Amino acid sequence: WGIVDYIDIKEGAKIYPGEYLYYKPSKRIVICGLFNEKKNLVKALDRGRLVSGTIEDFQKIKLTKQEIKKQKAERGCAKCKGSR
């Protein structure tokens, strides 16, 4: 990944299943499986193992505008799938 910046997850942040997050206790990039702001709970996959913790244990990965655009294009929507 090279040099990566991390952002604390603030109230009202949008976290999606499948999104990469930084997990502070293991100091690794993990894949988000569940994000529940009301219960202050995040569950993620860390090298094939399910880990769970509070929102404070995780950070979002800061992406450039180009990376965000590419990610949205890959995820797409039903309307866009035919126009790729």
Side-chain angles (χ1 to χ4, degrees):
W1 287 60
I3 298 174
V4 180
D5 290 327
Y6 303 109
I7 306 166
D8 288 329
I9 299 172
K10 296 187 170 119
E11 190 174 322
K14 294 186 181 188
I15 308 292
Y16 301 99
E19 184 174 345
Y20 290 106
L21 299 173
Y22 178 72
Y23 185 48
K24 294 179 196 177
S26 69
K27 299 179 182 170
R28 289 194 218 134
I29 304 295
V30 297
I31 300 173
C32 179
L34 172 97
F35 178 78
N36 189 326
E37 189 172 7
K38 290 179 184 175
K39 293 183 179 180
N40 191 27
L41 177 68
V42 178
K43 290 186 179 183
L45 282 175
D46 181 7
R47 295 186 178 184
R49 204 178 100 228
L50 183 66
V51 294
S52 61
T54 64
I55 294 173
E56 293 79 28
D57 291 338
F58 295 85
Q59 289 181 307
K60 284 189 76 142
I61 298 169
K62 186 175 181 181
L63 300 174
T64 65
K65 288 183 181 182
Q66 289 176 326
E67 291 169 329
I68 292 170
K69 192 173 182 179
K70 181 181 175 190
Q71 191 178 52
K72 283 183 182 179
E74 288 173 356
R75 185 171 46 216
C77 65
K79 290 181 182 179
C80 303
K81 288 187 185 213
S83 63
R84 283 192 212 170

